[in-house]
Amino acid sequence: MTQQTSVQAAAASGVAPLPPIVEISSVSKSYGNVEVLHGVDFRVMPGEVVAIIGPSGSGKSTLLRCINHLEQIDSGTVVVADELIGYRRSGGDLFELPERLTAKQRRATGMVFQSFNLFPHLTVLENITLAPLKHRVSSKAEVAAEAHRLLDKVGLGEKARSYPGELSGGQQQRVAIARALAMKPQVMLFDEPTSALDPELVGEVLEVLKQLAETGMTMIVVTHEIAFAGQICDRIVFMEDGRIVEDGPAAQVLAGPREERTRTFLSRVL
């Protein structure tokens, strides 16, 4: 299990807790006539590790992509680190931001996809340093040094000059994690990060997620690895039909879910 969340630590010390680092309020999203998110409310506190589980088509990945405005929401709001994502407020109205400003906001969230999305013509080191150099996160030397540190962190220090095609799927996904971390995000988003991997490669990626959780990084993980979610996550959220059906401490949700639909789902996957 991860270290204490900021909420737990604050409660123990008597200090007022920090506000949510991610706050989703009444978010709805449709594709054509199909509504995939129905007024979802969802909060994540600093330092929390939250798993989102549920059947295919339940809206898990869509919800994740709405957090950094990769999917434009139809109604509601998303706030990350006290900043309204994708919009500016004027009076009582919301106006969509230009893409360049939304892209700047995305620096607060690092995202790791099912497919690794590495540039095949760039080396591992170049893949990791591309975005920090473009956004001038720090000097070229500092960006390179940080990239090497992150490669060591994910166990790939010797692969800096390799190309993605020379790596296994598990190694490519670990590079993708290092690439996301290179932008120094406040929140990491993982969209089924092991679903494209052969079974024997899943463990090496899950180990990196475990180590990352232990550092206190705020993480939201859409996953089918239910047992693993129970090991590293503070909370588990169960979704179905674009709604959050159950949300509670990981141990409680897995051992004694309150909702019948959650119990049915878990009985089939555990």
Side-chain angles (χ1 to χ4, degrees), residues 60-225:
K60 308 184 299 296
S61 293
T62 299
L63 178 61
L64 200 70
R65 291 169 65 89
C66 286
I67 293 174
N68 60 6
H69 208 66
L70 287 179
E71 293 288 352
Q72 181 180 352
I73 61 178
D74 297 328
S75 61
T77 58
V78 176
V79 175
V80 177
D82 294 324
E83 187 168 10
L84 181 66
I85 301 300
Y87 299 90
R88 64 176 177 86
R89 196 185 301 274
S90 180
D93 297 322
L94 294 179
F95 298 89
E96 189 166 13
L97 292 176
E99 173 57 27
R100 62 181 179 81
L101 295 180
T102 302
K104 186 176 180 180
Q105 290 182 327
R106 289 193 186 107
R107 291 173 57 177
T109 55
M111 188 156 188
V112 178
F113 301 88
Q114 298 179 39
S115 54
F116 322 122
N117 291 351
L118 301 177
F119 292 106
H121 63 290
L122 300 180
T123 66
V124 164
L125 185 64
E126 289 167 340
N127 267 280
I128 295 173
T129 59
L130 182 64
L133 289 175
K134 178 180 179 180
H135 292 280
R136 296 181 175 85
V137 171
S138 51
S139 70
K140 186 174 182 179
E142 290 170 332
V143 166
E146 177 67 3
H148 283 290
R149 186 189 71 80
L150 290 170
L151 281 173
D152 287 337
K153 186 182 183 75
V154 300
L156 293 172
E158 77 287 359
K159 299 293 186 180
R161 297 186 181 278
S162 298
Y163 287 87
E166 299 171 330
L167 305 180
S168 70
Q171 290 173 328
Q172 290 186 61
Q173 192 63 296
R174 284 186 279 158
V175 172
I177 294 171
R179 179 181 59 182
L181 291 170
M183 291 298 291
K184 303 184 185 301
Q186 298 184 60
V187 182
M188 284 289 287
L189 310 176
F190 295 89
D191 187 7
E192 299 189 17
T194 61
S195 65
L197 301 178
D198 293 332
E200 65 268 22
L201 301 178
V202 168
E204 63 189 57
V205 173
L206 294 182
E207 180 60 28
V208 171
L209 267 64
K210 180 180 178 182
Q211 293 171 4
L212 189 57
E214 290 170 349
T215 69
M217 171 64 74
T218 305
M219 300 166 56
I220 306 173
V221 187
V222 171
T223 184
H224 291 294
E225 302 288 341

Side-chain angles (χ1 to χ4, degrees), residues 26-58:
S26 302
V27 164
S28 295
K29 171 67 179 177
S30 296
Y31 297 110
N33 295 324
V34 179
E35 190 171 7
V36 294
L37 294 177
H38 302 269
V40 173
D41 294 302
F42 178 55
R43 292 183 176 186
V44 178
M45 304 305 295
E48 273 196 305
V49 181
V50 181
I52 304 177
I53 66 172
S56 297
S58 58

